[in-house]
Amino acid sequence: MSKYSIFSLARNALNFHKNWEQAWRSPDPKESYDAIIVGGGGHGLATAYYLAKEHGLSNIAVVEKGWLGGGNTGRNTTIIRSNYLWDESAAIYEKALQLYEGLSQDLNYNIMLSQRGVLNLAHNLHDVRELKRRVNAIALNGIDSEYLSPAQIKEIVPIINISPHIRYPVLGASIQRRGGVARHDAVAWGYARAADALGVDIIQQCEVTGILRDNGRVTGVETTRGIIRAPKVGLVTAGHSSVLANMAGIRLPITSYPLQAMVTEPVKPIINTVVMSNAVHCYVSQSDKGELVLGAGIDGYNSYTQRGSLHVVEEQLAAVCLLFPIFSRLRIMRKWGGIVDTCPDASPIISKTPVDGLYINGGWGTGGFKATPGSGWTFAHTIARDAPHRLNAPYNLDRFTSGALIDEHGAAAVAH
Ligand code: FAD
Ligand code: PYC
């Protein structure tokens, strides 16, 4: 910490934290805007930022029912990668990764991107074949992608158990070296501050309770702070995508589940990469504070509670301790959950809707943090031009009736 930050902290402490400069304004809602973005998570804030920056639309409101990043943006385990199977996915997730690589500079806000590599383990012959196929497909799209033997994995992660005699033996892994982690709330705050500087009104504690329409066109939203009018409305409400779409009479092919994660007590640096096991639904990275960040698979039932079941955690921790016996005496400090909206093909929706002027961005399931910049960038294009960008055209709502699905269950990690 520099001496300036120490002085600044001391000054603000002595002022009882009254005079901190606000990172963004908190205006009252205006009667109308050119566009309203519902949902102040990373995707909603990124959408507003790119609408203002790339498309010159600055009369925009972001309307959030709680606080910025209080949904899945602040609850995720911050893994970023672009190692997806299909060309459509490679294109949009790689666009997101490239935007992430320049995001701290673009926003002038340190998002603490750490490209420490992401490994996905194979535990049986089927996993090995599937991972090798994916490694090759990803490389064909020009994205960094390698396959590792158990001995190569051990060199990168010395604490992993590669004994062939355990319940989930490590037979190989894929690695994306440009993958890694970033500070999730910094991503939300950085986009918020930059969008605010471009004139976007960010309105927290303002829940959307209805979607106003006239003659098949959206005309605004009803909120807990009154009616706000706009000819364009973008819904970016992970965890509640179907609830919001339903307010406009649209039924989405989305099911919502709890997904949980946890952190251990902090320890000295022990693992400097991200290791994921899709087959047994567990993964680990170490935070800058020293905590091990551990995640599980989704719960097996639908729910809107932001907490998960204990048996999921028990199974996940049993697998973690088997793969990393050195963790077995660590204590879990906190655990939490979020609601993930999943589509039948484990790919998202970034689309126009049957209601003119109403757009939807959702269904990112367990894996949308990595996509935040690419999602906002393409959604802003879709809203500004009333037409999808080439990168999000495949992610339209029509694919669920045409059958042009983009099946990413294999790459979606903690499977959903
Ligand atoms: P959110 O951040 O959830 O934002 C949606 C916002 O909409 C919320 O703030 C909510 O309050 C608001 N809202 C809802 N209803 C209304 C309303 N009626 N009116 C106004 N506002 C409303 N992805 C990865 O890529 N890597 C990971 O490592 C990863 N780990 C995860 C771990 C967990 C435990 C969870 C739960 C998710 C994880 N994800 C991960 C998924 C990722 O977090 C999400 O896909 C992503 O954050 C979605 O971002 P968002 O901005 O769309 O949603
Ligand atoms: O999509 O990489 C991912 C992920 C990791 C944990 C949850 N989602």
Side-chain angles (χ1 to χ4, degrees), residues 76-81 83-84 93 118 120 259 274 276 283 295-296 364-370 411-414 416:
N76 69 66
T77 43
T78 78
I79 297 171
I80 289 173
R81 55 191 175 85
N83 54 355
Y84 281 67
Y93 287 104
V118 174
N120 286 90
L259 175 71
V274 182
M276 310 183 64
Y283 56 96
W364 289 93
T366 60
F369 176 67
K370 68 176 77 65
V414 281
H416 61 262

Side-chain angles (χ1 to χ4, degrees), residues 3 24 35 37 43 54 62 65 290 295 321 334 352 355 368 374 412:
K3 65 181 180 187
W24 53 84
I37 304 301
H43 290 227
E54 309 266 334
V62 175
K65 74 172 173 185
C321 291
R334 279 181 290 121
K352 294 176 66 166
V355 178

